Amino acid sequence: MTTPETDSIVIIPTYNEKENAAAIIDAVISQPHKFDILVIDDGSPDGTAAIVRSKMEQYPGRVNIIERSGKLGLGTAYLTGFRWALDHGYEFIFEMDADFSHNPADLNALYRACHDEGADVAVGSRYLTGVNVVNWPMGRVLMSYYASAYVRLVTRMKVRDTTAGFVCYRRRVLEAIDLDAVRFKGYAFQIEMKFTAHRLGFTIREVPIIFVNRVLGTSKMSSGIFSEAFLGVIRLKLSKVSRRNVNN
C-alpha cells in the first residue's frame, strides 16, 4: 500500500461531462484542505477522459483516472473507486458528482465532520434543515424527499437524506463493509451503503448543504433508478431479518 501526500481523495464518476470535467477538478484542487481526485470514466464518447488526462499533467500526482469500457453503473464506479482508494492508503474517501450539484467548498465541512468531530460517515444532506434544493422540478423534489422519508420509515435509520450522493467515509467503514456483496447500482446503492454502515454500528452525521441542479451537461437520472431504490429498501430490510433469523 502506498502512502499518499494527503489523507483525502474525492471519487468523481463521469459519463459525458466534458462541460464540467476541467472546472470541477480545478475547484476541488483549490480547496483549503488538500484533496486528491480519482475520476471513474465510463467510456465517455465526448472526450471527458482526455480532459481529465490533461488535468493529470497539470496537477501531477493529484488527479487520477480509471477508464472503463462502458456505462457500468454509478454503484460499480464507486466500488471501483473505493477499492483503489483503500489500496492507495487514503483515510477519508469522498463521493461527489461531477456537475457542481455538490459545492466543492462543502468537502471541507464533510471532512471536518469526520476528522475533527468523530463521525465515521458524513453525509451532505439536502433535507436536514428543510428542503435545500435549487432548480429541480417540484415533482423531482417531492419524489426525492419522500423517498428518503420512506427509507427512514423502513430502515429506522436516523438519516434525513438517505439517497444523498455527497458523502465522506472513513477508511475503517469501507474496510468493514463487504464491498463484493453490495448489490445495487443506482439510488439504492447510496441507501445500501448508509444502511450497511448503520447496521455495523458506525456513526453517521449529516452536514447541511444546498444542492443545485446541474447547469451544464445532461442529467443521468431516470425513473428506473427510483424504482430500484423503492424495491431495494425492502430487499435490504428483508435480508437483514433473514440473517438475524439464521444467526438465531
Side-chain angles (χ1 to χ4, degrees):
M1 183 175 67
T2 59
T3 302
E5 294 183 3
T6 179
D7 59 0
S8 303
I9 190 160
V10 181
I11 302 170
I12 305 177
T14 57
Y15 182 76
N16 285 349
E17 292 288 356
K18 66 178 182 180
E19 298 93 346
N20 296 302
I24 196 70
I25 289 171
D26 290 340
V28 172
I29 292 292
S30 68
Q31 294 308 307
H33 181 69
K34 187 176 182 179
F35 297 98
D36 286 350
I37 298 170
L38 173 63
V39 173
I40 312 292
D41 186 70
D42 272 5
S44 298
D46 70 346
T48 296
I51 295 170
V52 176
R53 288 194 297 270
S54 72
K55 288 296 177 180
M56 293 172 67
E57 296 178 2
Q58 183 179 352
Y59 305 114
R62 300 287 310 281
V63 180
N64 309 272
I65 188 170
I66 295 175
E67 297 181 59
R68 307 199 298 176
S69 59
K71 294 182 71 175
L72 302 177
L74 181 71
T76 66
Y78 277 126
L79 292 172
T80 296
F82 292 160
R83 294 185 181 98
W84 190 96
L86 292 173
D87 287 344
H88 286 76
Y90 291 94
E91 178 63 32
F92 300 95
I93 300 164
F94 295 75
E95 300 177 359
M96 194 175 95
D97 289 350
D99 60 5
F100 284 94
S101 55
H102 303 140
N103 185 342
D106 289 331
L107 287 166
N108 301 284
L110 296 183
Y111 177 77
R112 288 193 297 270
C114 287
H115 182 270
D116 300 336
E117 299 167 16
D120 296 307
V121 181
V123 177
S125 178
R126 297 164 291 185
Y127 307 128
L128 184 62
T129 58
V131 179
N132 294 316
V133 178
V134 177
N135 293 335
W136 256 10
M138 182 55 67
R140 187 168 168 185
V141 172
L142 292 174
M143 186 178 294
S144 175
Y145 180 83
Y146 285 110
S148 281
Y150 163 74
V151 174
R152 288 199 309 276
L153 178 66
V154 173
T155 65
R156 303 299 181 185
M157 281 194 296
K158 295 181 179 179
V159 177
R160 297 200 63 82
D161 194 352
T162 54
T163 61
F166 194 23
V167 184
C168 174
Y169 292 98
R170 278 185 174 269
R171 176 185 189 86
R172 63 192 180 210
V173 178
L174 298 181
E175 288 178 329
I177 292 174
D178 182 358
L179 299 179
D180 291 332
V182 176
R183 67 187 76 176
F184 295 112
K185 295 182 179 180
Y187 251 35
F189 167 79
Q190 301 294 358
I191 300 166
E192 182 174 6
M193 289 296 296
K194 297 178 185 68
F195 181 65
T196 305
H198 164 75
R199 185 169 50 81
L200 291 172
F202 290 108
T203 301
I204 303 174
R205 178 170 299 172
E206 291 184 272
V207 175
I209 65 163
I210 297 175
F211 180 95
V212 180
N213 193 30
R214 69 162 62 235
V215 174
L216 300 173
T218 304
S219 174
K220 314 304 187 294
M221 192 63 62
S222 70
S223 58
I225 291 174
F226 283 106
S227 298
E228 183 196 54
F230 184 85
L231 297 174
V233 172
I234 297 174
R235 289 176 61 188
L236 287 173
K237 189 67 174 180
L238 288 175
S239 67
K240 179 186 177 185
V241 172
S242 297
R243 282 193 297 271
R244 185 190 308 137
N245 289 340
V246 169
N247 292 338
N248 288 339

